[in-house]
Amino acid sequence: MDYNVIWYFLVGVLLIGYAILDGFDLGVGALHLFSKGDHDRRILMNSIGPVWDGNEVWLITAGGALFAAFPHVYATAFSGFYLPFFLLLMALIFRAVAMEFRSKEKSTVWRSTWDKVFSIGSILASILFGVAIGNIILGMKIGSDMEYKGTLLDQLNLYAIMTGIFALSMFTMHGANYLLIKTEGALQRQVRKWAFNAFWVFVVLYVVVTAFTLLAKPEMVANFSFGNVQAVGVKHPLISEHEYILSVFTWGIAILNFLAVLNIHRSLSKNNYGWAFISSSLSIGAFIALFAMGIFPNMMVSNLDPNYSLDIYNAASSQKTLRIMFYLAIVGVPFVLSYTISIYWVFRGKTKIDEHSY
């Protein structure tokens, strides 16, 4: 395994960390307007109060790692997705402002306005995350100069919009599972109904998006089809030399994904909310891992010519840079994990409202 493969794996781990951690607080935001009364809405907002900004650090870290390890991918992605990333940034900023400003005034109109901003920002950020992944799966108009040749309308295709709505359903279900751990009494009983409803919406969209993906991009399973499905273009030596191992490994992830989804409903039915949250976390991680294995070793697929796709070799930094960054990551990643775990440990338990709350 060379440094290019290692950094593909590390960027994927950071992306999975972001999707799991920020996924549940975006889901809480999406559910925010369903709660009635100022007290319940404050409980929802304060359930993520101590952790939401730390969760978003994972997105910044993933972007930084992408910039340093695969600068051509960073440049193409951030110029090609300029408007969607700008909208994502605005959604995250206004969402944060809403949390800080909402409780500064007791006016009903004031609080209701920031409630809407908080919820809309969360929904928009969730959809844009899915739209970006949908476009990478479907392929983008990337030319021989590694620049995006399409328009914003090209990115708003039916498949990408569908994956965006699927991401919203997944994060909403994940957020409801998190709220079940942080709430109690009548509000928890209400959240339990949301969790079941969100789960069934998620399952229906899971089946639809999977079927659409197999129909539109059957080569997404080429890397783990034991050679039964051919990829577009020349098969990379990394795939042809390790086809059997990759297929076994990836089907293991697919089975884990299926079992995790089933266990969400089982855990909710048994009121075992901790396992419901762990299961939805595992299912999100497995989805992104399957996506990564489907496009590997590409990072951005060109639908103009497969030779123009950006992969872990033609878009990477020098071997010296990747090696130095690898040693820095060995030191830095444990600190990030330790900080994240300690924050969740300190703020464990049910959410209570006091004079310092949002």
Side-chain angles (χ1 to χ4, degrees), residues 16-33:
I16 288 173
Y18 170 74
I20 291 175
L21 295 177
D22 208 32
F24 74 72
D25 68 50
L26 290 175
V28 170
L31 290 167
H32 186 69
L33 292 180

Side-chain angles (χ1 to χ4, degrees), residues 267-281:
S267 300
L268 287 174
S269 300
K270 291 179 175 294
N271 298 331
N272 197 341
Y273 303 135
W275 275 110
F277 180 72
I278 291 172
S279 299
S280 59
S281 299

Side-chain angles (χ1 to χ4, degrees), residues 15 69 90 109 114 142-143 147 235 242 254 262 298 304 318 333 348:
L15 192 61
M90 295 303 293
V109 175
W114 287 117
I142 299 173
E147 290 189 4
K235 186 180 290 186
H242 306 89
L262 288 181
N298 292 315
L304 296 179
S318 67
V333 170
R348 68 189 183 280

Side-chain angles (χ1 to χ4, degrees), residues 67-305:
F67 171 75
F70 303 105
H72 294 297
V73 174
Y74 181 92
T76 304
F78 277 72
S79 59
F81 286 121
Y82 183 81
L83 284 177
F85 280 166
F86 176 76
L87 288 174
L88 173 63
L89 187 62
M90 295 303 293
L92 294 177
I93 289 173
F94 273 98
R95 182 171 172 271
V97 171
M99 293 182 70
E100 296 293 338
F101 279 21
R102 182 187 183 279
S103 297
K104 300 297 184 187
E105 296 287 344
K106 293 187 177 179
S107 162
T108 304
V109 175
W110 173 270
R111 294 193 172 193
S112 176
T113 300
W114 287 117
D115 282 339
K116 292 182 178 66
V117 172
F118 176 59
S119 199
I120 291 171
S122 302
I123 292 170
L124 183 60
S126 302
I127 291 175
L128 288 172
F129 180 85
V131 167
I133 289 183
N135 274 289
I136 293 174
I137 291 175
L138 207 57
M140 300 178 67
K141 293 180 177 177
I142 299 173
S144 58
D145 54 0
M146 297 186 176
E147 290 189 4
Y148 177 60
K149 306 297 182 185
T151 64
L152 177 63
L153 290 178
D154 292 324
Q155 298 168 17
L156 298 177
N157 55 76
L158 177 61
Y159 179 78
I161 293 173
M162 190 180 297
T163 53
I165 296 172
F166 172 66
L168 174 61
S169 72
M170 184 168 64
F171 289 160
T172 302
M173 174 198 64
H174 192 41
N177 289 336
Y178 174 77
L179 283 174
L180 285 169
I181 300 171
K182 304 298 288 184
T183 56
E184 53 192 346
L187 178 57
Q188 190 185 53
R189 290 192 289 276
Q190 180 65 58
V191 172
R192 190 171 184 271
K193 294 178 183 176
W194 298 345
F196 275 111
N197 292 337
F199 173 79
W200 287 115
V201 172
F202 161 75
V203 168
V204 170
L205 289 173
Y206 177 10
V207 174
V208 171
V209 169
T210 301
F212 202 155
T213 303
L214 294 176
L215 182 66
K217 297 289 288 184
E219 59 268 28
M220 277 296 289
V221 300
N223 286 349
F224 47 96
S225 66
F226 296 97
N228 293 315
V229 177
Q230 296 302 313
V232 175
V234 180
K235 186 180 290 186
H236 196 279
L238 275 175
I239 303 299
S240 56
E241 293 172 7
H242 306 89
E243 196 163 51
Y244 186 80
I245 295 175
L246 286 174
S247 295
V248 171
F249 174 73
T250 310
W251 276 105
I253 296 175
I255 292 171
L256 168 67
N257 187 12
F258 181 69
L259 294 177
V261 171
L262 288 181
N263 200 50
I264 295 170
H265 189 274
R266 177 177 174 276
S267 300
L268 287 174
S269 300
K270 291 179 175 294
N271 298 331
N272 197 341
Y273 303 135
W275 275 110
F277 180 72
I278 291 172
S279 299
S280 59
S281 299
L282 289 175
S283 65
I284 291 173
F287 272 121
I288 295 179
L290 289 173
F291 154 69
M293 290 305 299
I295 64 171
F296 182 80
N298 292 315
M299 300 190 74
M300 295 189 74
V301 179
S302 172
N303 56 20
L304 296 179
D305 186 329

